Amino acid sequence: MGVARRVAPDALYQLRSRPLAYLRELWGAYRSPAALARLLDRPRAEIAGYWDDLLGRDRFYERVRAREEELSRSGRTGSSPGGRADAYSEVLYVLVRALRPETVVETGVALGYSSAYLLQALHDNGTGRLHSIDLPTTDPEGRTNADGVRDRVHLGSAEDTGAVIPADLRDRWELTLGPSNPTLVSVLGKVGPIDIFFHDSEHSYENMMWEYRTAWPSLRPGGWLLSDDVHWNAAFPEFAGAQGSPSFRWFGPRGHRGAVAKPGAPATPTARR
Ligand SMILES: C[S@@+](CC[C@H](N)C(=O)[O-])C[C@H]1O[C@@H](n2cnc3c(N)ncnc32)[C@H](O)[C@@H]1O
């Protein structure tokens, strides 16, 4: 898979609007297939093939971008989205393709970029459901978390939670609105054992640790806990370090996103492509 193909969808727009961040993403995207193949103990060609699927099939980026443009035309963009169609979310897609989960739970949706990637992967696998939790805010100042750190992510309207998710991917999606603590407990109770948990809600140490500890017992052996913004505090390294299992960080100089597998069974089921 050539880097050129990865650059194609919106390179000029990205290079003009956020050159340094975009170049870092490209570097991460270039390195990620090999790193993920090692982590999952899969052939690099298989992992690269999933990336090719995402880049080549179904016009995923164009459909997400079309939803963004609709929001923008109606003046409903809110803050910077807190996620984007870009290389760091591609890893979410590839992990879901490779792991073929039946049940995925995520906290933190905003406009729904991560949800869209996860749902596209479930769609391409032909199996699985995504259960998402979000507590949207329309306050232009965003929120200050329990560590006193402000997160400015906000929506134009609470109804725009997940707004960039293409309509044809929504049949595998269930959204529950409420604070992750305690909403996660009731969602996990309802869905039973899960294969992937993805944290991207309030990034305070207390909330991240609470979500990891709450989700972990529901993860099937061999399931994966994923987390955004693991560099905000020590919660992810502490939690992942205590599991005695390989962990992985990707995107950004310090690895913004992290993954750790639950031991007890092969973490990487045989690919069924
Ligand atoms: C960074 S954004 C999520 C971005 C999204 N995962 C993506 O990649 O496109 C964080 C979201 O978490 C929500 N949030 C913040 N605190 C929360 C909490 N305690 N419980 C649930 N959601 C929360 C915010 O309203 C916001 O929509």
Side-chain angles (χ1 to χ4, degrees):
M1 174 185 42
V3 171
R5 246 188 107 189
R6 317 177 57 73
V7 174
D10 56 1
L12 284 177
Y13 164 81
Q14 299 276 6
L15 278 171
R16 267 199 299 267
S17 58
R18 40 196 288 281
L20 277 181
Y22 186 53
L23 288 172
R24 265 194 232 116
E25 278 169 25
L26 286 179
W27 175 237
Y30 171 71
R31 287 190 337 180
S32 292
L36 267 183
R38 274 196 305 278
L39 178 82
L40 299 173
D41 194 22
R42 300 280 182 88
R44 192 184 185 285
E46 178 197 331
I47 299 300
Y50 296 136
W51 251 293
D52 279 348
D53 286 349
L54 180 64
L55 296 173
R57 187 191 291 177
D58 275 352
R59 299 171 45 250
F60 174 74
Y61 291 99
E62 289 88 338
R63 287 183 298 135
V64 169
R65 186 56 54 80
R67 301 284 301 166
E68 272 175 7
E69 279 165 11
E70 272 170 44
L71 282 176
S72 168
R73 271 197 300 277
S74 51
R76 289 176 17 233
T77 44
S79 63
S80 76
R84 287 179 313 276
D86 58 24
Y88 78 137
S89 290
E90 289 170 5
V91 175
L92 293 178
Y93 172 89
V94 172
L95 279 169
V96 169
R97 289 301 308 282
L99 298 169
R100 288 186 68 85
E102 280 305 320
T103 308
V104 180
V105 171
E106 74 166 346
T107 61
V109 177
L111 287 179
Y113 290 90
S114 55
S115 317
Y117 280 86
L118 294 166
L119 287 165
Q120 180 69 55
L122 296 175
H123 172 86
D124 292 347
N125 283 345
T127 188
R129 292 192 65 76
L130 171 66
H131 301 266
S132 303
I133 296 168
D134 195 278
L135 181 66
T137 178
T138 54
D139 184 338
E141 293 300 312
R143 281 200 187 85
T144 301
N145 75 21
D147 295 336
V149 179
R150 182 166 290 276
D151 186 342
R152 294 193 182 276
V153 173
H154 65 276
L155 301 180
S157 153
E159 287 167 12
D160 290 337
T161 304
V164 300
I165 301 170
D168 60 308
L169 297 178
R170 289 171 180 242
D171 57 342
R172 297 181 182 278
W173 188 49
E174 191 161 330
L175 172 66
T176 306
L177 295 181
S180 65
N181 182 355
T183 307
L184 181 58
V185 175
S186 54
V187 169
L188 291 172
K190 194 176 70 179
V191 303
I194 65 174
D195 303 290
I196 291 180
F197 172 73
F198 175 51
H199 158 88
D200 194 13
S201 62
E202 181 194 322
H203 305 315
S204 63
Y205 176 92
E206 186 185 330
N207 190 60
M208 290 169 91
M209 201 53 119
W210 181 85
E211 288 191 17
Y212 302 157
R213 287 182 173 149
T214 302
W216 192 253
S218 289
L219 271 177
R220 289 195 178 94
W224 286 79
L225 180 144
L226 315 177
S227 181
D228 199 11
D229 291 323
V230 297
H231 59 303
W232 278 40
N233 56 58
F236 183 81
E238 278 182 25
F239 182 84
Q243 306 314 322
S245 189
S247 68
F248 171 67
R249 288 169 71 151
W250 76 96
F251 182 62
R254 284 181 293 163
H256 285 190
R257 286 190 164 177
V260 59
K262 186 165 180 174
T268 55
T270 307
R272 284 162 278 165
R273 293 196 68 205

